[in-house]
Amino acid sequence: MRAAFSITRVCFMAIVVAAISAAALGEGFDDTLSRDAVLRDPEIPVLGNPQGDLTVVEYFDYQCPYCKKLAPEIAQVVRDDGKIRLVLKDWPIFGAVSKSAAQLALAAKYQNKYQEAHDALIGAKEKLSEANIPELLTKAGVDVEKARADLQAHQKTIDDVLAHNDKQADAFGFQGTPGFIVGFFRVPGVVEMKVFKQIIADARAAAKKRKG
């Protein structure tokens, strides 16, 4: 077990933007780190515009205060833009409660309630606990008993998703949550939305240049 749940795994505040090398997105790595595994994992629901021209991936934890603060701002940027595929990758580094929250949220996708589950947990004002996670999900319209049954039925798939997310986050050098992949740019840590919008524009320009 890693010492991930100690101070060394707190949310990383430094803002560093670096281009992702070809190797970091699929050349010389196993399938977990392939471009498709990072940007288009079929086991992870896509929010925003599934047909969008740019993919934004966020590695997050439901108990990360910075993730919680950024969530409505990121959602607004995605809505305003209209062409972003938002891929949320649960990276439960804050302990067992975070893992439970991530597992149930991912299980909720089998009843087409992932976004409702995600919004309820990331938007919770109180500290998450094993007791209040089901209450929050129920209020959001998630059938918790079905989610638990689906978690049991799809345990390996969900555990594999979390393991892959963890491996990817480590490979990208993220020191904590949140961490973003925006097109071919790596963005570790908290960033102001004005800067984030510029990163999105730069990522689109870089993608266009690559195609040209």
Side-chain angles (χ1 to χ4, degrees), residues 3-62:
F5 312 138
S6 65
I7 296 176
T8 61
R9 279 292 203 186
V10 298
C11 301
F12 187 49
M13 291 293 289
I15 300 174
V16 183
V17 180
I20 303 173
S21 67
L25 270 183
E27 295 180 16
F29 283 80
D30 63 25
D31 288 345
T32 303
L33 301 176
S34 70
R35 183 177 288 107
D36 282 346
V38 173
L39 303 179
R40 297 181 179 276
D41 186 335
E43 298 299 336
I44 298 178
V46 177
L47 305 184
N49 182 351
Q51 307 304 319
D53 65 350
L54 181 71
T55 298
V56 173
V57 180
E58 180 184 1
Y59 295 85
F60 73 97
D61 185 300
Y62 284 116

Side-chain angles (χ1 to χ4, degrees), residues 76-92:
Q76 188 63 55
V77 168
V78 170
R79 282 194 297 270
D80 291 346
D81 183 281
K83 296 181 180 180
I84 292 175
R85 299 177 67 253
L86 180 61
V87 178
L88 298 172
K89 298 214 172 190
D90 293 87
W91 189 26

